[in-house]
């Protein structure tokens, strides 16, 4: 097995244990507000520290970009570990059992390794660039025949960037003309994995961060899907506007979104 994949899996499983145990001992969860509607708990921090410790033991020179502790530049700035120690903190705090740990390894700006772990269902999503995507030991392959008509779409409301809400609601209105229904699960990393697994037909969201979507992005693409920003480009890891699905459905969604876009989002 690819050695970096091996370490990433070890790290998400360790963090997964911390998160699952923390979820059971709800009285011990300490929650702090980072900004409006944005929370961090002692468990996010403990999971992140455990992940960083495991990576640092094997790769002391690599760069680490982690949601809660920020960037720590290593001598090897070409190799970056992008970490979300708990994606779905709001679910975690509310006692809703749907969240994940996400790690992507990017080499010279290209994602090579992706791991997303759901500790409640013990589901491990992995991908290595050029080698496909898996859920546990099963290969994932996106069905390219699915259409926007009748589709189930995952999304996230832009609750941290309220000025995007009217634009997002316009998108939902435009898409519901054709799709069957929406899901708002609360973990962007799992939304992308669920696209790869065919559990939802596509996913779109505004204002996500690289740690939310870098791993899920590779998992979708290695399952044969297409991931783009809202104008069919590749800016989603930096600008945070993302669409993912089969090539066919992603293009149909993009066509529906165009009339909703403002200049800020197009450029
Ligand atoms: C959030 C979740 C959520 C998405 C937000 C993310 P967090 O991550 O992925 O589904 O809608 O945009 O920030 O804060 O729970 O790590
Ligand atoms: Ca996140
Ligand atoms: Ca998080």
């Amino acid at each position: 097995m690819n050695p970096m994949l091996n370490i990433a899996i070890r790290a998400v499983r360790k963090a997964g244990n911390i998160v699952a145990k923390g979820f059971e001992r709800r009285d011990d969860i300490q929650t702090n507000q980072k900004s409006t509607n944005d929370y961090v708990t002692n468990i996010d921090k403990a999971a992140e520290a455990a992940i960083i410790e495991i990576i640092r033991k094997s790769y002391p020179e690599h760069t680490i970009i982690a949601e809660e502790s920020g960037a720590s530049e290593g001598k090897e700035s070409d190799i970056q570990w992008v970490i979300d120690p708990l994606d779905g903190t709001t679910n975690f705090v509310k006692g809703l059992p749907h969240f994940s740990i996400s790690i992507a390894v990017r080499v010279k700006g290209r994602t090579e390794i992706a791991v997303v772990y759901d500790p409640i269902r013990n589901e491990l999503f992995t991908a290595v660039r050029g080698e496909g995507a898996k859920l546990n030991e099963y290969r994932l392959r996106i069905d390219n025949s699915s259409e926007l008509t009748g589709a189930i779409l995952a999304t996230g409301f832009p609750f941290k960037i309220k000025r995007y809400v009217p634009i997002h609601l316009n998108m939902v209105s435009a898409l519901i003309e054709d799709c069957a229904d929406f899901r708002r699960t609360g973990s962007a990393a799992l939304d992308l994995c669920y696209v790869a697994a065919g559990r939802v037909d596509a996913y779109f969201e505004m204002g996500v961060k690289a740690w939310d979507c870098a791993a899920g992005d590779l998992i979708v693409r290695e399952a044969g899907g297409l991931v783009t920003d809202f104008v069919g480009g590749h800016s989603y890891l930096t600008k945070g506007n993302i669409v993912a699905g089969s090539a066919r459905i992603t293009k149909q969604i993009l066509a529906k979104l165009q009339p909703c876009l403002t200049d800020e989002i197009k450029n």
Side-chain angles (χ1 to χ4, degrees):
M1 191 195 281
N2 180 306
M4 289 196 292
L5 175 63
N6 196 17
I7 296 300
I9 292 174
R10 199 182 300 168
V12 293
R13 286 205 184 274
K14 179 80 201 269
N17 283 340
I18 294 169
V19 170
K21 278 206 188 105
F23 190 66
E24 278 169 19
R25 300 193 194 126
R26 300 191 38 74
D27 291 345
D28 297 339
I29 298 173
Q30 294 149 24
T31 307
N32 286 309
Q33 193 162 10
K34 290 198 279 188
S35 56
T36 315
N37 304 321
D38 195 6
Y39 298 94
V40 60
T41 73
N42 54 325
I43 304 298
D44 299 53
K45 289 183 180 161
E48 184 165 297
I51 292 168
I52 292 173
E53 191 185 332
I54 289 172
I55 297 168
R56 278 275 166 258
K57 253 188 214 151
S58 297
Y59 300 111
E61 319 266 81
H62 291 183
T63 291
I64 290 178
I65 299 166
E67 180 178 8
E68 307 308 340
S69 53
S72 102
E73 184 109 350
K75 275 190 207 148
E76 278 210 58
S77 56
D78 276 354
I79 309 184
Q80 298 180 333
W81 293 67
V82 183
I83 301 161
D84 192 334
L86 177 46
D87 185 55
T89 297
T90 302
N91 284 348
F92 180 83
V93 168
K94 299 297 282 180
L96 201 163
H98 185 82
F99 36 77
S100 60
I101 293 98
S102 173
I103 299 181
V105 187
R106 309 194 76 223
V107 181
K108 294 189 176 154
R110 190 150 73 172
T111 306
E112 296 286 338
I113 306 277
V115 177
V116 175
Y117 182 53
D118 172 346
I120 298 293
R121 299 178 183 84
N122 192 22
E123 289 190 325
L124 180 71
F125 296 86
T126 56
V128 175
R129 190 176 67 83
E131 293 179 22
K134 287 182 180 169
L135 163 50
N136 297 331
E137 69 272 31
Y138 300 105
R139 258 297 155 93
L140 297 175
R141 203 66 230 152
I142 287 182
D143 174 8
N144 204 30
S145 65
S146 66
E147 295 270 352
L148 184 56
T149 304
I152 300 295
L153 305 183
T155 190
F157 293 94
F159 62 99
K160 293 178 196 169
I161 316 173
K162 285 282 162 87
R163 72 175 191 286
Y164 286 167
V165 169
I167 304 166
H168 184 261
L169 292 178
N170 284 342
M171 292 176 176
V172 169
S173 292
L175 290 164
I176 196 81
E177 288 171 3
D178 294 337
C179 75
D181 203 350
F182 293 92
R183 295 290 179 270
R184 198 293 185 247
T185 76
S187 167
L190 284 179
D191 287 341
L192 285 159
C193 294
Y194 281 22
V195 169
R199 293 174 178 175
V200 292
D201 297 298
Y203 157 73
F204 72 101
E205 186 161 347
M206 304 179 77
V208 293
K209 300 287 188 192
W211 46 73
D212 300 314
C213 63
D217 163 38
L218 185 66
I219 291 167
V220 170
R221 288 187 289 112
E222 285 297 325
L226 177 66
V227 184
T228 75
D229 58 24
F230 288 171
V231 291
H234 292 101
S235 74
Y236 48 91
L237 287 186
T238 47
K239 293 200 180 150
N241 300 323
I242 186 167
V243 185
S246 68
R248 180 201 282 249
I249 205 165
T250 297
K251 285 175 192 158
Q252 291 173 340
I253 291 172
L254 286 176
K256 283 287 199 182
L257 296 190
Q258 295 318 296
C260 311
L261 302 183
T262 59
D263 287 345
E264 180 196 350
I265 291 172
K266 279 188 212 158
N267 301 316

